[in-house]
Amino acid sequence: MAATVGFGQSALLALVPIISGATGLDAPAIGAIGFLGALAFLAAAPAWGYREGGLRSRFRLLAWLMVGAQLVFLGVLTAGPMPAVLAFALLAGSRIVYSAAAAGVMPQAQAAIVRMSSPEKRHAALARLSAGLSVGRVLGPLVTLPGAAGLLPALAVMTVMPLALLAGPDIAPAERQVEQAPRRRDVARAVLPLLGVGFALTLGLGQIQITLGLFLQARFGLDAHAAARWSGVTFMLVAVAMIVVQLLLVPRLRGRLLRSLRIGLVVFALGSAAAGFAPSVFVVMLGAMIAGGGIALATPSYTTWLVGRIAPREQAAAAGWLASVHVLGQGAGALSGGLAFALSPLAPFLICAGLGAAIALALAYIEPPRDHREAP
């Protein structure tokens, strides 16, 4: 189910040239559609976390909303010429509905995993969920490989993929503790330090993503097409590295959250610095993969730490806040990365290295995880 969401997100990005050709919309208009979708995701993720009811009924609602939005998207691409204003309105509405529905999948899935897994296995289970999202993001661009002749079947697959949510398990909501029911404000305050960790890491990742191609051009004198190709290959390798870490390495750490998070932050800092000072494109790729591996190690660690700080019935709400913070961090990273690059092509990588090191030091001031079992 997580892979389905990741696939839908990344496939749309890969289809931008096709969307432009089919509708006549220019890059700013398509960018505005993506921005509206991001805003919808940002607002909807916490709201879905507070929705009452069983898991299967929630997934059923999310699935049909996503399929309906994708049907509108498919219709616009296959309907032939239409006024640009109408195409923009339909695509924007489709993306807003899809993003708002997709925002509910990960919080609900994370809360379900927390309820179904024992504390010692929760770290690895959440890592697999995150890996599933990454797998979908890697597979998404493959819809463009068949070319125009094979585009319609690929779009049809995109449209029906959310129906996988209908296979979700039926888990009853956690029992309400009337005497101890926390308010939304209290939940946010309980997880605020770890939300800050998630924001800072995704801000760093967003800086690297937005400036990598420009950095390759400035550092090695590549033309725009070559820089774009190398950036694409790098992002794919980073995604693969993150998946490998989350599936193979995290389960071997046996829930040592604080140590895993510190190691992940240090690795992220070292990888970012290595990419910034790299003497060749291949070393930049290696540094980016190391940084991505650090993020892959850190993310399930602070996520598991976060869910241990709140009551069971608030898990979905906290997951929704975390999902919104991740989106906000990447958006802030894109903005601040561009500004930092204008000062110096090396600045975004140094900022990322500094963020990783600073957060690793700041962990000493956060209350340790409840299942903290670090060796003395």
Side-chain angles (χ1 to χ4, degrees):
M1 296 175 188
T4 296
V5 175
F7 183 92
Q9 291 172 338
S10 61
L12 182 76
L13 297 176
L15 291 170
V16 166
I18 296 171
I19 296 171
S20 180
T23 63
L25 297 176
D26 57 13
I30 297 176
I33 291 171
F35 177 72
L36 291 173
L39 288 181
F41 189 102
L42 188 67
W48 283 115
Y50 288 98
R51 181 177 170 82
E52 298 291 341
L55 187 67
R56 181 172 294 172
S57 64
R58 300 186 200 186
F59 275 154
R60 187 181 299 121
L61 174 60
L62 296 175
W64 290 118
L65 286 173
M66 293 166 70
V67 169
Q70 293 290 66
L71 283 172
V72 174
F73 173 78
L74 177 61
V76 172
L77 292 189
T78 57
M82 67 175 63
V85 174
L86 178 60
F88 178 87
L90 290 174
L91 287 177
S94 167
R95 196 58 185 171
I96 288 172
V97 172
Y98 180 88
S99 297
V105 175
M106 290 298 287
Q108 298 297 335
Q110 180 177 308
I113 285 177
V114 169
R115 272 181 248 158
M116 291 189 296
S117 60
S118 59
E120 62 271 13
K121 294 183 178 180
R122 189 167 297 154
H123 189 203
L126 290 172
R128 292 190 186 99
L129 180 66
S130 182
L133 186 66
S134 298
V135 167
R137 288 172 175 166
V138 171
L139 296 178
L142 297 181
V143 300
T144 61
L145 291 184
L151 183 60
L152 188 58
L155 290 175
V157 171
M158 265 183 65
T159 302
V160 302
M161 278 190 71
L163 294 178
L165 297 178
L166 300 180
D170 192 15
I171 301 177
E175 294 183 2
R176 182 183 296 270
Q177 301 293 332
V178 177
E179 70 281 5
Q180 296 179 349
R183 295 171 297 178
R184 299 185 187 188
R185 183 174 54 188
D186 298 328
V187 175
R189 187 181 299 118
V191 300
L192 188 60
L194 296 166
L195 291 178
V197 173
F199 175 82
L201 271 180
T202 49
L203 182 145
L205 180 62
Q207 287 198 341
I208 292 178
Q209 287 177 325
I210 200 67
T211 62
L212 181 61
L214 298 174
F215 174 79
L216 294 175
Q217 281 186 277
R219 183 67 177 269
F220 303 108
L222 302 178
D223 61 37
H225 294 288
R229 285 195 301 271
W230 283 114
S231 296
V233 171
T234 301
F235 292 143
M236 182 187 69
L237 292 176
V238 168
V240 171
M242 294 176 71
I243 293 168
V244 170
V245 168
Q246 289 170 335
L247 290 181
L248 300 182
L249 179 58
V250 172
R252 298 177 182 273
L253 298 175
R254 302 186 183 279
R256 296 182 177 180
L257 304 181
L258 189 56
R259 188 178 73 173
S260 299
L261 181 52
R262 279 184 175 142
I263 293 174
L265 291 167
V266 171
V267 170
F268 171 69
L270 293 176
S272 299
F277 290 105
S280 69
V281 174
F282 293 103
V283 180
V284 172
M285 295 169 64
L286 179 61
M289 291 174 65
I290 293 172
I295 291 179
L297 185 59
T299 300
S301 300
Y302 68 73
T303 302
T304 307
W305 188 348
L306 181 150
V307 301
R309 296 169 68 93
I310 54 178
R313 66 176 301 268
E314 299 295 337
Q315 298 295 340
W321 283 107
L322 187 59
S324 290
V325 163
H326 284 164
V327 172
L328 189 61
Q330 284 206 288
L335 177 62
S336 61
L339 296 174
F341 185 86
L343 299 176
S344 169
L346 187 60
F349 295 90
L350 295 181
I351 291 173
C352 290
L355 279 173
I359 300 171
L361 294 174
L363 293 180
Y365 299 95
I366 303 177
E367 181 185 353
R370 293 179 181 176
D371 58 346
H372 180 57
R373 297 185 302 276
E374 297 290 313

